[in-house]
Amino acid sequence: MLVDVYKTDGMKTGDQVTLDPEIFEIEPNDHAIYMAVRAYRAAQRQGTHKTKTRSDVRGGGRKPWRQKRTGRARVGSLRSPLWRGGSTIFGPIPRDYRMKLPKKTKELARRSALSQKAKQSQILVVEDFSFDHPKTKQMTSVLKALAIDEKKTLLLVSKNDSVVVKSGRNIPSLNILEANKASTYDIVDCQVVVMQRSAVGVLQNTFTI
């Protein structure tokens, strides 16, 4: 697949970049994408929720009244879950929500997500750029020139560029990542994927095809 390369002013450079068909032109596997997104979202959960069980609440060591001949229901503790000040029945406890996915499934999901974006013409390649100083206004002007300033955008760069990152971190609709760190969720969660020219090779080299 050949894709035009754009300048930061929105004009075409006249060059084209070849995108690997094994990554950008496969038949998307929706189930693999679903599993990868589900695993990503599950890993974001802290899992620190906790309520106190009968063994955690303070008190309740004394039996309130004797077992028989009181006319009342038998009770063994003042901290029964049925009583005020008691514990919680079957409450949440700390746990790890992370899911393990096979490496091939993860790769299939990423390739499917990228192929989906390519099929919908939502992939844009732009020449490498940076700024002298972090400036949100400069990044905004680039997005406007590319006519994507009102779209949720994922910008992939070849390596960490603090100036570019700082220039775009205050733009709510923009997410900037290194190409080799973009997950399936990051790709699916945007309306357009913008790749710097040098980031294309970095992204394609992350796949073992």
Side-chain angles (χ1 to χ4, degrees), residues 2 26 40 54 56 92 94 121 131 135 144-145 149 153 165 183:
L2 290 175
I26 70 167
Y40 177 90
R54 290 182 64 166
D56 298 321
S121 301
F131 310 115
K135 199 73 175 177
K144 283 184 178 180
D149 55 308
T153 305
V165 172
S183 68

Side-chain angles (χ1 to χ4, degrees), residues 112-177:
S112 296
L114 290 169
S115 295
Q116 213 170 54
K117 292 296 180 185
K119 190 176 182 180
Q120 297 168 355
S121 301
Q122 294 178 346
I123 287 184
L124 197 64
V125 179
V126 65
E127 62 182 2
D128 293 358
F129 66 89
S130 187
F131 310 115
D132 295 330
H133 306 286
K135 199 73 175 177
T136 304
K137 188 175 182 179
Q138 290 179 306
M139 180 63 77
T140 304
S141 65
V142 172
L143 297 178
K144 283 184 178 180
L146 296 170
I148 55 174
D149 55 308
E150 295 183 358
K151 296 182 179 180
K152 193 167 185 180
T153 305
L154 172 64
L155 173 60
L156 299 181
V157 295
S158 59
K159 59 183 179 180
N160 184 32
D161 187 337
S162 60
V163 176
V164 172
V165 172
K166 289 178 180 178
S167 298
R169 65 184 177 185
N170 286 335
I171 302 176
S173 60
L174 179 63
N175 184 22
I176 303 174
L177 292 174

Side-chain angles (χ1 to χ4, degrees), residues 33-203:
I33 294 176
Y34 162 74
M35 291 298 294
V37 170
R38 183 183 171 193
Y40 177 90
R41 289 174 62 87
Q44 305 307 302
R45 300 183 67 175
Q46 290 184 339
T48 54
H49 40 40
K50 185 182 189 304
T51 55
K52 291 184 178 182
T53 62
R54 290 182 64 166
S55 61
D56 298 321
V57 243
R58 185 171 181 269
R62 176 178 63 85
K63 187 173 174 67
W65 51 75
R66 63 185 187 178
Q67 183 83 346
K68 298 178 179 295
R69 295 185 293 278
T70 63
R72 290 177 289 187
R74 51 194 174 183
V75 177
S77 171
L78 289 167
R79 296 296 178 258
S80 165
L82 305 178
W83 284 24
R84 181 186 177 192
S87 58
T88 303
I89 306 174
F90 302 131
I93 57 175
R95 55 164 291 192
D96 186 358
Y97 282 94
R98 284 179 296 183
M99 300 168 54
K100 288 186 178 180
L101 288 181
K103 183 180 178 181
K104 288 186 177 180
T105 303
K106 290 180 182 178
E107 287 201 353
L108 175 60
R110 289 176 66 217
R111 290 192 291 123
S112 296
L114 290 169
S115 295
Q116 213 170 54
K117 292 296 180 185
K119 190 176 182 180
Q120 297 168 355
S121 301
Q122 294 178 346
I123 287 184
L124 197 64
V125 179
V126 65
E127 62 182 2
D128 293 358
F129 66 89
S130 187
F131 310 115
D132 295 330
H133 306 286
K135 199 73 175 177
T136 304
K137 188 175 182 179
Q138 290 179 306
M139 180 63 77
T140 304
S141 65
V142 172
L143 297 178
K144 283 184 178 180
L146 296 170
I148 55 174
D149 55 308
E150 295 183 358
K151 296 182 179 180
K152 193 167 185 180
T153 305
L154 172 64
L155 173 60
L156 299 181
V157 295
S158 59
K159 59 183 179 180
N160 184 32
D161 187 337
S162 60
V163 176
V164 172
V165 172
K166 289 178 180 178
S167 298
R169 65 184 177 185
N170 286 335
I171 302 176
S173 60
L174 179 63
N175 184 22
I176 303 174
L177 292 174
E178 293 177 52
N180 58 355
K181 294 181 180 177
S183 68
T184 302
Y185 179 84
D186 296 319
I187 298 168
V188 172
D189 192 44
C190 68
Q191 292 176 289
V192 57
V193 178
V194 179
M195 296 184 288
Q196 288 190 352
R197 184 167 187 167
S198 60
V200 175
V202 175
L203 176 65

